[in-house]
Amino acid sequence: MISKPALVLFSHGSLLCGSGSTLDAHAQQLRESGDFSMVEPGYLNYSIPPVEEAVRRCVEAGATTIVIAPYFLVAGKFVIEDLPPRLESVIPLFPQINFVVTRALEDSEDMPPAIEQVLVTAEDPKKWQRRAIEKARSQCELRKDCPLYGSPMCRSGSASA
């Protein structure tokens, strides 16, 4: 019996509180698909878990194949230059694991319909920015490295938090 691969969704990460919730939601949908033994987000910077920790979680759960899927529109610097050394540091620790990396989303046939789908949501930038700030505020971790920390937009409302 061939076991299902584990999937690591590799993304950049962000300092803004709650910024990983969309990737978490995609990971949950992929878990529910049943196509993977497990699905973990893994980040390059700022957010947790780092990609190396996501790989370790997959190995500890019994994965024999781990697919790393860059959650990027194009294979730019983060995919071409930053991901390989991160993987090179962890792959030798698990020689029994088959690692594969997908391409970035780039020319996926699903991209044009996705773009068309979001076009209908076009609105004044102040509206969607306000929603993003409200989302960050509702998921606030009171981290000093969050861009909103100490500002009136932070749930603390001040730098004394």
Side-chain angles (χ1 to χ4, degrees), residues 21-33:
S21 62
T22 300
L23 188 60
D24 290 340
H26 290 309
Q28 184 59 37
Q29 286 180 316
L30 289 163
R31 284 182 198 108
E32 292 169 3
S33 76

Side-chain angles (χ1 to χ4, degrees), residues 22-107:
T22 300
L23 188 60
D24 290 340
H26 290 309
Q28 184 59 37
Q29 286 180 316
L30 289 163
R31 284 182 198 108
E32 292 169 3
S33 76
D35 294 334
F36 303 95
S37 61
M38 66 183 302
V39 180
E40 290 287 321
Y43 296 96
L44 176 64
N45 292 310
Y46 312 119
S47 300
I48 54 174
V51 67
E52 297 89 345
E53 177 60 26
V55 166
R56 281 188 196 90
R57 290 178 184 179
C58 294
V59 172
E60 289 170 0
T64 57
T65 297
I66 299 176
V67 177
I68 312 291
Y71 186 74
F72 291 89
L73 292 177
V74 297
K77 180 189 182 306
F78 301 137
V79 175
I80 301 297
E81 293 182 18
D82 296 337
L83 178 59
R86 301 289 290 267
L87 294 180
E88 288 166 9
S89 74
V90 74
I91 288 173
L93 302 174
F94 308 109
Q96 74 282 16
I97 305 299
N98 178 37
F99 287 90
V100 293
V101 180
T102 70
R103 63 184 174 83
L105 298 172
E106 298 177 317
D107 58 353

